[in-house]
């Protein structure tokens, strides 16, 4: 059993420390995580940051790090470059206010945008004792747990359908990159994005299934989005078993 308390270290630092009290047998399993709350950040800027952090994590210069953020409207294509699942000419993207970027993550085309909670974990799978499949399953569980807090019954997809679903409607997407045991990219949970953006793509390459959001599925009045994002972080921390978590507000830096 783990007891967690959050103590704010100082107003000027905008940093919080989650302290945990461990039972004796758990002390040897102590795991540290640094969480960066980024606000809204351009996709390419976030990508470059991930690459830098992944390199530093591989070199043991930093601890496991979690980026919590949102993006302006952006379509991203995975390393298989399934651009055929973009349903409008890329020359028309500017007119609808969307950027298009190619990435080295797994998965198909997807949308990132305002009112979507995104987590990019930069973690060492070796240090936390996980393989790639179990890592993805824990990302799915993170979103499933968040949805359940609002009375929404979500579940992992069927075979070859990563992400999290409410019946046949996708509420959370996953696309990860693992290099030398270090993760990047991650998950995107739909709080209340403009779902019209998904009409211009075949989301994650899956035909004949829809996309939904927490706003559409719950009967509960949603709190402010930063509260939901903090709840998503808390779900991640619990599912992955981190004990000491430092929260840093980078959105004001």
């Amino acid at each position: 059993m783990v007891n967690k308390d959050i103590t704010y270290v100082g107003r000027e630092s905008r940093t919080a420390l989650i302290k945990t009290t461990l039972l004796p047998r758990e002390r040897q399993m102590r795991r540290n995580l640094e969480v960066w709350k980024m606000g809204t950040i351009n996709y390419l800027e976030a990508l470059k940051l991930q690459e830098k952090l992944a390199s530093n994590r591989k070199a043991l210069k930093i601890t496991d790090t979690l980026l919590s953020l949102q993006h302006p409207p952006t379509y991203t294509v995975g390393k298989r470059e399934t651009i055929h699942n973009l349903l409008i000419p890329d020359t028309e993207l500017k007119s609808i206010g969307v950027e298009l970027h190619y990435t080295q993550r797994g998965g198909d085309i997807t949308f990132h945008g305002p009112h979507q909670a995104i987590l990019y974990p930069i973690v060492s799978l070796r240090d936390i004792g996980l393989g790639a499949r179990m890592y993805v399953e824990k990302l799915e569980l993170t979103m499933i747990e968040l949805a359940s807090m609002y009375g929404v019954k979500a579940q992992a997809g069927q075979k070859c359908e990563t992400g999290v679903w409410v019946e046949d409607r996708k509420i959370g997407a996953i696309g990860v990159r693992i290099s030398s045991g270090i993760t990047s990219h991650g998950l995107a949970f739909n709080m209340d994005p403009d779902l019209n953006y998904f009409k211009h793509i075949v989301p994650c390459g899956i035909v004949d299934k829809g996309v939904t959001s927490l706003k559409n599925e719950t009967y509960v009045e949603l709190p402010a989005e930063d509260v939901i994002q903090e709840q998503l972080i808390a779900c991640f921390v619990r599912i992955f078993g981190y004990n000491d978590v430092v929260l840093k507000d980078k959105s004001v830096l």
Side-chain angles (χ1 to χ4, degrees):
M1 183 176 180
V2 179
N3 298 319
K4 292 186 174 64
D5 296 306
I6 301 179
T7 302
Y8 286 89
V9 176
R11 185 171 298 179
E12 291 184 0
S13 66
R14 295 184 175 87
T15 299
L17 175 64
I18 299 178
K19 296 181 178 179
T20 61
T21 302
L22 304 175
L23 294 178
R25 66 182 181 140
E26 293 175 311
R27 290 197 175 107
Q28 62 185 355
M29 300 170 61
R30 199 172 198 90
R31 294 174 181 169
N32 301 319
L33 180 70
E34 190 166 289
V35 179
W36 292 17
K37 298 170 68 176
M38 305 293 295
T40 299
I41 181 173
N42 176 273
Y43 187 83
L44 280 183
E45 186 178 348
L47 183 61
K48 291 177 182 178
L49 177 59
Q50 289 180 77
E51 291 171 348
K52 178 180 178 180
L53 291 174
S55 177
N56 287 342
R57 186 66 186 93
K58 180 181 177 181
L60 305 178
K61 294 180 179 179
I62 61 172
T63 190
D64 285 352
T65 302
L66 180 68
L67 306 182
S68 174
L69 50 87
Q70 295 189 33
H71 287 308
T74 309
Y75 293 130
T76 67
V77 180
K79 61 185 177 182
R80 288 184 292 154
E81 297 190 4
T82 50
I83 192 62
H84 59 275
N85 286 325
L86 177 65
L87 303 180
I88 62 173
D90 55 7
T91 54
E92 296 182 16
L93 293 177
K94 187 175 182 179
S95 67
I96 62 172
V98 182
E99 294 182 355
L100 173 66
H101 295 291
Y102 292 82
T103 76
Q104 290 300 306
R105 63 162 173 79
D108 211 291
I109 192 169
T110 195
F111 169 76
H112 293 312
H115 315 300
Q116 188 183 66
I118 295 173
L119 295 183
Y120 290 146
I122 313 297
V123 306
S124 169
L125 293 185
R126 295 190 183 98
D127 284 2
I128 61 177
L130 294 178
R133 182 64 250 175
M134 182 59 72
Y135 171 66
V136 170
E137 289 176 358
K138 283 182 175 287
L139 291 179
E140 292 171 339
L141 286 173
T142 297
M143 293 188 283
I144 290 170
E145 182 172 289
L146 177 64
S148 72
M149 295 172 64
Y150 293 91
V152 176
K153 186 178 181 180
Q155 61 187 12
Q158 302 298 316
K159 186 177 181 181
C160 299
E161 294 179 353
T162 59
V164 170
W165 302 75
V166 180
E167 296 179 355
D168 62 350
R169 303 177 298 279
K170 196 165 194 174
I171 195 170
I174 292 175
V176 304
R177 173 176 167 78
I178 302 172
S179 177
S180 301
I182 307 299
T183 68
S184 57
H185 299 275
L187 65 82
F189 183 84
N190 294 335
M191 296 182 291
D192 186 23
D194 183 350
L195 299 181
N196 286 316
Y197 285 109
F198 289 95
K199 295 179 180 179
H200 301 300
I201 62 175
V202 181
C204 301
I206 301 173
V207 183
D208 298 329
K209 291 196 175 182
V211 179
T212 191
S213 66
L214 186 61
K215 177 74 171 180
N216 283 359
E217 298 295 338
T218 186
Y219 293 102
V220 177
E221 183 175 350
L222 296 181
E225 289 185 350
D226 61 341
V227 173
I228 300 175
Q229 289 180 280
E230 288 176 1
Q231 291 170 335
L232 184 62
I233 292 168
C235 291
F236 178 91
V237 168
R238 192 192 72 79
I239 294 294
F240 281 86
Y242 287 100
N243 311 120
D244 292 323
V245 182
V246 175
L247 305 178
K248 293 188 175 181
D249 187 349
K250 298 284 187 175
S251 64
V252 297
L253 299 183

